[in-house]
Each structure stands twice: as C-alpha cells, then as structure tokens.
Amino acid sequence: MLDEEPGRKRRRLWVHPIVVQRPHKGQFHKLYSDLRQDPLKFKSYCRMSIETFDYLLICLHPDLNFMDTWMRRSISPEQRLLVTLRFLATGNSFASLHFEFLLGISTISGIVCHTCKVIWQRLREAVMPTPTAADWLRIADGFYQSAQFPNCIGALDGKHIRVKKPPHSGSRYFNYKQYFSVVLMALADSNYKFVIVDIGAYGSTSDSRIFSVSRMGERLRQTQLALPEPSRLPGSAGPPAPFVIVVDEGFALSPHLMRPFPRRDLDVRKRILNYRLTRARRYVECAFGILSNKWRVFQSSIQMKPDNATLVIQVCVMLHNFTRIHDASTDADLGLNMTSSVSLDLSRPGRPGTAGLAVRELFADYFSSPEGALSWQMDAIRVSR
C-alpha cells in the first residue's frame, strides 16, 4: 500500500452528513418556493423583485448551468444565484452560509466567485455602457431638471470600502479613517446610477490622485470622453460654458471638474455657487448610500483577497444599476429624501487651474443672475451660515 502524501490532511468524509440533508433542510429548498409567493419578502431576501430576479437568471443561465454526473447532481442556476445574492445582501461569512444552505464552505466560495465573474461579464455592457455625446446630454438634462445645475454631466466622488489587510501590504491600504480599504471612485447621474467607475485603488491614496491616474481621468484630459461641445447656460447671453463634473474640495479644479470655492472669505456670490454645487454633488453621495444599504457586504470588512474584493465591488455596482433600471423608484424604504463678463479661452497658457477658475467664475455669475437664480437660494445660504 502506498504511503499517504506527507502534510496532506486526510479527508474523513466524502460528504458531511449535514450537507447530505440539503435537499430536505437547506434554505434554498425550504424557502425559495415560499418566497416566490410573497413579492415583498422575496425582495427583502434577494434585494430585487421576482421579475428582475427572473430576468437576471435568464441572462446568466447559460454560464451557471452545469451537467449532472454519475457521482453527484449539479447545483442549479437558481441556487447559485440565490447564494451569491444572499452573500452580497448580508455580508455573511461563507461559514455562516454553509449552515444556511447546507453547501460546503469551499463550494460556496467557488459559487460566489464564479457567479460574480459571470454577472460582471454579462451585465457590464448592458447596464454601464461607454457614454456617448447623446448620453452626456441626457445626463445633463437630468441634473438641470433635478438639481437646477445646467451643463452638469455627473457627480464624482470616492468611497472607501473596508477590506481585510492583505499580507505584506504595509500601509498601502490603510486610509485616513484608520482602517484598511480599497477605493470605489464613481461618477453618478441624477438617477443615482453609476456612469463610470474605477475600483481597487489603495486606501492610502487621495481621491485627486486616484482620479488623475485612472482611465477615466486620463480620457478626460485627452478629450476622449465624447463630451458635447460647450453651450450657453439656459437663458444666458454669455459665452458658451463647458460641460462639467461636480466634485468636492478633495479634487483639483479644471475646466471640466468643478469644485467649490474655498471656505474662507466667502461672499454671497461664492456661497451661492457652493450651495448650488452641493445640491448637484449630493447625488453621488446618495448613490453610495443606496449601494451600501442594499448590498450590506459593504457594512463590514470584506474578508477576501484584494482581487476578489474588487470583483465583489464591481458586481455590486452592476447589480445596483441593474435594479435601478428594472426596479425603478423602489428605494423609498432606504430613507432617502432628495429634494458674466468672463471670456473663456480653455487653450490659453498659464497654470493648470486658470481655465478652471474662469469656468467656475462663469457659473458663479450665472447662479447670481436673474436668469440662473433660484427663488430660495438666499434663504438656504442664510440657514447654512
């Protein structure tokens, strides 16, 4: 008889007796049919409606369907998708899901990773396509209707996603909030959908640096984002204004990145610009809030390797957009209540922020003019003092 391989743990059981009971006591077999009879409970369990779940399953079915063998039956696509959604919706450990679904821990790990890869591959182009000039104009119209901020093509910000410290990583993932993280940099529209994302940067890196080295930032600098041509602000006879992305103080000012005025020595005109910009920028903050409240894997540290943690974030972003499209206006339970003489020469030489300063001054003049002012903006800036 051959000697056993040294250092290898001998398997005591081919299938654990608890796992054998899966067809009778597993959560999928006990709950799935009953959940489909109650749309509200199903949505609470899966974070999407029955119709959206079924449509998602149709999209993923070819890649989640495996053949049975003479040794064991394969796990159905429905169960694979449900296990993955439950992991993303709760953030429960694989060991916890093992006792719920009566699947092996390594089996659950494989199911989640494989299903996430399939979701990313199948949904990426459908729910987050590369924006065209027409898409940017549609987004700008949405911001003008919702936030009264013209020529705005998105709100940009970064969100730190807590992760387990990778081995031998030093302080690269350690952020200013005193925990380990990777950064989700996202551009959101007025419907709280993500338009462009960059995922996986070290938590120790600043938002401005992440954006500048990202593909999104590089394409913006090289004018490869298919942005529309500058146009006059509504009702204004002034020079055409470029389409801008609204950001906070952590980003550098540029012709297409609009940040607020510094908080010192603010006059009324500057306070109005900051107020109007904040009203537009809140959409990316609310998008992050909807994302983390729906997919509670973000509520605790993701106990996975950085590559797999990045994959989980990518999939949650895809599912966020997917449910925003197919389950529109159904996030009320999350508690979100959303309610110049400057001549622009964007090619002139000078320090990098010069053109950006001119753009910001143009918007500040417009928001303080009769054509661009809101009836309540003076009351709003008095309350915020």
Side-chain angles (χ1 to χ4, degrees):
M1 184 175 181
L2 296 175
D3 293 336
E4 293 185 5
E5 184 178 342
R8 183 172 182 177
K9 186 176 179 180
R10 183 178 180 182
R11 178 179 292 205
R12 293 182 300 169
L13 300 167
W14 175 249
V15 180
H16 196 281
I18 292 179
V19 177
V20 173
Q21 302 178 66
R22 181 173 72 248
H24 310 291
K25 297 184 178 181
Q27 198 168 103
F28 174 78
H29 297 88
K30 290 178 65 176
L31 278 180
Y32 181 65
S33 298
D34 293 337
L35 284 172
R36 292 188 67 91
Q37 304 304 314
D38 190 326
L40 292 179
K41 292 294 184 182
F42 187 94
K43 185 175 182 181
S44 177
Y45 190 85
C46 295
R47 300 296 195 265
M48 60 182 66
S49 66
I50 297 174
E51 296 77 15
T52 301
F53 177 88
D54 290 342
Y55 181 66
L56 179 61
L57 184 62
I58 291 172
C59 296
L60 308 181
H61 193 278
D63 295 311
L64 298 183
N65 191 30
F66 292 84
M67 294 180 59
D68 296 333
T69 69
W70 65 275
M71 297 181 66
R72 63 179 66 184
R73 296 184 61 184
S74 64
I75 299 169
S76 66
E78 293 87 347
Q79 187 169 0
R80 288 174 176 272
L81 181 56
L82 200 70
V83 168
T84 303
L85 292 178
R86 198 60 187 156
F87 167 71
L88 300 176
T90 63
N92 288 349
S93 66
F94 293 154
S96 177
L97 294 173
H98 157 68
F99 290 107
E100 294 176 16
F101 289 92
L102 301 185
L103 290 163
I105 295 177
S106 60
T107 302
I108 290 177
S109 175
I111 287 174
V112 169
C113 290
H114 175 260
T115 306
C116 284
K117 291 177 182 177
V118 172
I119 292 173
W120 172 251
Q121 293 167 358
R122 290 282 181 172
L123 297 188
R124 183 179 179 182
E125 293 300 325
V127 304
M128 194 181 292
T130 301
T132 62
D135 294 326
W136 292 125
L137 288 173
R138 176 184 52 78
I139 293 171
D141 183 65
F143 271 100
Y144 185 60
Q145 298 298 326
S146 302
Q148 294 75 52
F149 199 111
N151 288 27
C152 176
I153 55 172
L156 177 72
D157 203 1
K159 178 178 176 60
H160 287 273
I161 308 297
R162 192 185 297 262
V163 297
K164 180 178 69 172
K165 179 185 182 298
H168 314 296
S169 61
S171 61
R172 285 177 294 179
Y173 290 89
F174 197 68
N175 64 34
Y176 71 97
K177 298 182 180 181
Q178 307 300 304
Y179 60 82
F180 296 94
S181 67
V182 295
V183 178
L184 163 61
M185 181 69 60
L187 181 70
D189 65 13
S190 61
N191 191 36
Y192 312 110
K193 291 193 302 181
F194 297 114
V195 181
I196 303 176
V197 295
D198 182 88
I199 303 170
Y202 297 139
S204 62
T205 312
S206 68
D207 285 349
S208 181
R209 175 62 178 169
I210 292 171
F211 178 75
S212 66
V213 300
S214 69
R215 187 163 178 255
M216 180 187 354
E218 181 181 351
R219 293 181 64 196
L220 181 63
R221 286 193 303 272
Q222 298 178 358
T223 64
Q224 296 178 351
L225 284 181
L227 299 184
E229 291 296 320
S231 64
R232 285 190 173 90
L233 301 177
S236 171
F243 286 81
V244 299
I245 297 170
V246 292
V247 296
D248 62 18
E249 299 90 340
F251 293 84
L253 185 67
S254 74
H256 294 291
L257 284 185
M258 172 88 59
R259 57 171 283 173
F261 285 105
R263 299 182 184 181
R264 61 184 182 277
D265 302 326
L266 290 176
D267 56 23
V268 172
R269 174 174 159 278
K270 293 179 179 179
R271 289 174 61 82
I272 290 174
L273 182 282
N274 286 3
Y275 166 69
R276 299 288 291 272
L277 188 146
T278 300
R279 294 186 74 249
R281 200 180 63 81
R282 63 181 173 159
Y283 285 91
V284 67
E285 300 286 355
C286 293
F288 286 147
I290 295 171
L291 176 74
S292 59
N293 275 282
K294 183 183 287 288
W295 308 109
R296 291 182 176 260
V297 68
F298 296 129
Q299 300 289 334
S300 59
S301 177
I302 301 178
Q303 300 296 307
M304 306 175 84
K305 295 179 180 179
D307 289 346
N308 289 336
T310 298
L311 177 62
V312 165
I313 299 168
Q314 290 173 333
V315 168
C316 287
V317 168
M318 293 299 105
L319 291 174
H320 169 89
N321 278 12
F322 186 78
T323 55
R324 292 298 301 174
I325 294 170
H326 297 281
D327 290 335
S329 303
T330 56
D331 288 303
D333 58 321
L334 298 178
L336 295 173
N337 185 19
M338 299 291 118
T339 60
S340 141
S341 60
V342 179
S343 177
L344 297 183
D345 182 3
L346 303 184
S347 63
R348 68 189 180 192
R351 61 189 179 89
T354 301
L357 289 170
V359 173
R360 186 168 64 183
E361 292 293 333
L362 174 62
F363 276 84
D365 289 339
Y366 174 75
F367 290 143
S368 296
S369 69
E371 295 80 15
L374 298 176
S375 60
W376 66 85
Q377 66 186 23
M378 292 301 298
D379 294 332
I381 66 173
R382 289 194 191 101
V383 171
S384 64
R385 293 194 69 163

